[in-house]
Amino acid sequence: MAVQYVHYKGIKFPPGYNSVENLCFAENEFEVRDDDIFNVTYPKSGTVWMIEILSLILNGGNPSWNQSMLNSCRAPWFTTQLGLEAAHLLPPPRLLTCHLPIHIFPKAFFSSKAKVVYTLRDPRDVLVSYYHFSKMCVPFENPKSFNHFLESFLSGDVPFGSWFDHVTGWMKLKGKSNLLFISYEELKQDLFGIVERLCHFLGKELDEAAITSVVENTSFEAMRRNDMCNSTMLPKEFMDQEKGTFLRKGICGDWKTHFTVAQSEYFDKVYQEKMEGLKGIFPWEYTRQEN
Ligand code: A3P
């Protein structure tokens, strides 16, 4: 049976936990506090990784909070009813998560001092990760084939819309002091350095031991072991982990094991067109990482 997505402002959202009312509330009525910290991503770009990093930083590197509560409670998805309720209960500073494109993001943010950490990733790796995730996440349509999914991704006909629109939309705010752009590739290359940069951005300076604790507790292996972030606690009706693993490979460049030469050329052509004006600034355009 075809999945009945929720449609809001030109974007389709997975059903079940998103509603037009909640999305409209998030955009127009959500009260943003000056000390709120938003973790914003396009899906499969490192959302859960960043939740772990930020919530550990906010707790001075002490992993006990991260290990005592699901990440969706520590950093609620405020576009859902449950997440909204959890957001109201959080002590400040609140860590809040969403995949919202800029045109649906809470209006109140733009006149606040709240901060956004926007994590982005090589779109080819996003696509591969999203393809596998769509097979196991029940509210998402099961991809017909990898090639079909690639076509849908490139045309923006996937939940949360076009990667290109999401990234170019948010990049328009680059340079504002309350926004920090971090790439998945930088996280892989220098996690310690990025944690330091995040601490500075948040005004939460940690000593070397605390930063080391953040780094150790957010390694791929540590997160795979941590039931509070590896999604194994989620009900099977939501995520069927017999069909895959949420923390799947955690590497850069996995697209190379999925794309044919023709698919890669096709992807590059669309990328060149859509990213006109922003080319040459992203790590995946000038490095080739295999880690
Ligand atoms: P893969 O499917 O390529 O393995 P999101 O949280 O936005 O849904 O992103 C999920 C992707 O981030 C998955 O990518 C997952 O493995 C990866 N990821 C999560 N935590 C990670 C970590 N600590 N190190 C490296 N990759 C991580």
Side-chain angles (χ1 to χ4, degrees), residues 180-193:
L180 186 65
F181 290 84
I182 299 284
S183 70
Y184 181 98
E185 290 71 22
E186 289 171 299
L187 289 167
K188 286 292 294 184
Q189 198 169 34
D190 179 18
L191 188 50
F192 193 97

Side-chain angles (χ1 to χ4, degrees), residues 259-277:
F259 282 45
T260 62
V261 172
Q263 285 168 340
S264 175
E265 285 172 0
Y266 177 41
F267 189 100
D268 284 350
K269 187 169 166 291
V270 176
Y271 185 91
Q272 301 298 329
E273 285 164 16
K274 303 254 189 195
M275 300 303 278
E276 191 65 51

